Amino acid sequence: MLYITRKFHFSASHRVYNPALSDDENFKLYGKCSNPNGHGHNYEMEITVAGKINNETGYVMDLSELKNIVESSVISKVDHKNLNLDVDFMSGILPSTENIAKAIWDELESLINNKNRKLHSIKIRETINNSVEYTGED
Ligand code: NI
């Protein structure tokens, strides 16, 4: 088994808040991340695919195919967008880094997986210090 990884970047804004709670309760829970008018991040995302080498190509997966899938189904929808308001696959989802990673997994899994390869992990770095990795298991 081999693991291949490609890195992506997107810039997006969000407000981390739970609409079921008051503004005060949200501020206690999420601090300045719950500021009413939102704030932005330059997100880094690493997508890792696991598989066996295709003897014809020498690849697990052509990284330009991975790039095309991720750009058309994820990056084009989130880059320079508001994650609370603009992104169909984030609708109704609180845009924590954890939930962003899970939502992107759900978008990509069926587009990447086939009999020779499968989506292995999605790692999203929101700040220099904070990142989340999701491997599809609950
Ligand atoms: Ni934030």
Side-chain angles (χ1 to χ4, degrees):
M1 187 70 75
L2 292 97
Y3 298 87
I4 60 162
T5 299
R6 193 173 198 286
K7 187 184 270 193
F8 299 85
H9 296 90
F10 60 94
S11 301
S13 64
H14 70 169
R15 179 188 183 197
V16 184
Y17 81 114
N18 181 339
L21 303 175
S22 70
D23 278 1
D24 277 353
E25 288 169 319
N26 272 296
F27 194 80
K28 278 199 193 101
L29 201 49
Y30 302 118
K32 62 188 181 182
C33 290
S34 78
N35 280 347
N37 293 329
H39 61 275
H41 295 284
N42 293 317
Y43 291 94
E44 268 182 28
M45 177 169 71
E46 289 184 2
I47 308 282
T48 299
V49 176
K52 307 224 181 299
I53 296 178
N54 176 318
N55 286 330
E56 221 171 65
T57 63
Y59 293 152
V60 171
M61 177 180 188
D62 187 334
L63 283 172
S64 66
E65 183 191 358
L66 180 60
K67 173 176 183 276
N68 290 339
I69 290 171
V70 175
E71 286 190 345
S72 63
S73 59
V74 175
I75 301 296
S76 66
K77 295 182 178 180
V78 297
D79 191 35
H80 289 74
K81 298 290 170 57
N82 180 312
L83 300 174
N84 299 84
L85 300 173
D86 298 331
V87 181
D88 56 1
F89 66 78
M90 290 295 299
S91 177
I93 295 173
L94 187 153
S96 63
T97 315
E98 289 88 335
N99 280 337
I100 297 167
K102 281 192 78 167
I104 290 175
W105 177 283
D106 290 342
E107 288 303 292
L108 290 177
E109 188 179 22
S110 68
L111 300 173
I112 289 173
N113 288 13
N114 66 24
K115 66 185 194 333
N116 299 313
R117 66 191 196 213
K118 74 192 228 350
L119 181 56
H120 175 72
S121 66
I122 296 182
K123 185 172 183 180
I124 299 184
R125 180 174 299 284
E126 189 180 74
T127 68
I128 287 173
N129 295 321
N130 299 345
S131 66
V132 164
E133 185 167 14
Y134 183 56
T135 57
E137 290 143 30
D138 285 322

